[in-house]
Amino acid sequence: PAEPPAPPAGSAPGPARPGTKRLPRAIVVGVKKGGTRAVLEVIRVHPDDVRALGTEPHFFDRNYHRGLEWYRSLMPRTLDSQITVEKTPSYFVTKEAPRRIFNMSRDTKLIVVVRNPVTRAISDYTQTLSKKPDIPTFEGLTFRNRSLGLVDTSWNAIRIGMYAVHLESWLQYFPLSQIHFVSGEKLITDPAGEMGKVQDFLGIKRVITDKHFYFNKTKGFPCLKKSESSGLPRCLGKSKGRTHVQIDPEVIEQLRDFYRPYNIKFYETVGQDFRWE
């Protein structure tokens, strides 16, 4: 056989990366501004059993036409014993996503990070406002008619928090046993406990424990202590932990009333009380 071409001058051959690019066996499918980035970053600390894609591929919502091989090409290389994970929070509210993921593999494990829908909507608005300072007020976007208390469910920031509605689409294809719900609030108050349940759900060792976290007073949420591979602590980026816009308490109360029946139905469906009332 012919000799392989010599590498360019000055370049050293890197170590061959072992493993194969595989389609994900677990996907963090939602929700936006719920804490999905935190879950992914913590999962990536797991040394042996998990490899996660750092960026959001948006395959099952925006890029489906590119095909499964394109999707597979984005994935990190894994060994047979390792689980590939990806996260795209918009999947949870994408009507076609459950069917498309089911067609890829009916055994896919799904992780949904949920958070008080009122707080989530304010966080969503705060993020948008940082990019588009001239958008209307939160109150203006929330209501079709404020005096009648008519909430505008066509506004995405409101619609995403109607978890019970979106969950129906997923339950047409996946049993509840394949969907794990993470509390966005407990990710802050008890990150090790909440991530312990995620590790159990994925069927991997409980490696990530209390010793991996410290509370960052500036950001107001827990951060990862330095990992063995890096000497630096890992906190989420500047876009996380923004100070929320101040909202009229009366508006918050109206939104609580609006979400209450959806929350109750969600609790009953998943068999878990998130105590958002």
Side-chain angles (χ1 to χ4, degrees), residues 58-106:
H58 284 280
F59 176 62
F60 295 104
D61 54 357
R62 299 180 202 161
N63 293 308
Y64 197 62
H65 61 282
R66 294 175 182 262
L68 274 176
E69 285 313 305
W70 175 84
Y71 184 48
R72 188 198 303 271
S73 73
L74 304 177
M75 297 301 150
R77 292 179 181 276
T78 52
L79 304 173
D80 289 344
S81 59
Q82 293 175 315
I83 297 174
T84 302
V85 180
E86 77 110 320
K87 129 182 143 70
T88 305
S90 49
Y91 290 162
F92 190 65
V93 298
T94 301
K95 262 232 162 329
E96 304 80 13
R99 175 178 52 81
R100 289 171 173 177
I101 294 173
F102 179 84
N103 287 341
M104 174 187 76
S105 170
R106 63 181 61 194

Side-chain angles (χ1 to χ4, degrees), residues 10-68:
S11 75
R17 285 181 299 168
T20 308
K21 294 193 172 200
R22 294 175 171 87
L23 292 169
R25 280 167 46 199
I27 303 176
V28 182
V29 296
V31 299
K32 182 185 177 192
K33 306 309 292 177
T36 59
R37 171 56 60 184
V39 168
L40 194 78
E41 287 302 322
V42 176
I43 278 289
R44 291 174 82 187
V45 171
H46 209 285
D48 304 318
D49 301 328
V50 180
R51 293 296 310 281
L53 180 64
T55 54
E56 295 175 6
H58 284 280
F59 176 62
F60 295 104
D61 54 357
R62 299 180 202 161
N63 293 308
Y64 197 62
H65 61 282
R66 294 175 182 262
L68 274 176

Side-chain angles (χ1 to χ4, degrees), residues 54-162:
T55 54
E56 295 175 6
H58 284 280
F59 176 62
F60 295 104
D61 54 357
R62 299 180 202 161
N63 293 308
Y64 197 62
H65 61 282
R66 294 175 182 262
L68 274 176
E69 285 313 305
W70 175 84
Y71 184 48
R72 188 198 303 271
S73 73
L74 304 177
M75 297 301 150
R77 292 179 181 276
T78 52
L79 304 173
D80 289 344
S81 59
Q82 293 175 315
I83 297 174
T84 302
V85 180
E86 77 110 320
K87 129 182 143 70
T88 305
S90 49
Y91 290 162
F92 190 65
V93 298
T94 301
K95 262 232 162 329
E96 304 80 13
R99 175 178 52 81
R100 289 171 173 177
I101 294 173
F102 179 84
N103 287 341
M104 174 187 76
S105 170
R106 63 181 61 194
D107 297 323
T108 308
K109 292 187 174 186
L110 307 167
I111 295 172
V112 188
V113 190
V114 287
R115 178 185 186 187
N116 184 321
V118 179
T119 320
R120 198 221 65 80
I122 296 168
S123 179
D124 201 334
Y125 176 78
T126 302
Q127 183 182 46
T128 306
L129 188 67
S130 71
K131 297 171 185 172
K132 301 175 183 173
D134 53 348
I135 59 168
T137 63
F138 180 82
E139 291 85 342
L141 291 166
T142 295
F143 297 102
R144 281 188 292 131
N145 184 322
R146 188 177 165 189
S147 59
L148 294 175
L150 292 176
V151 172
D152 189 352
T153 57
S154 68
W155 184 31
N156 219 27
I158 294 296
R159 186 157 185 78
I160 290 171
M162 297 159 66

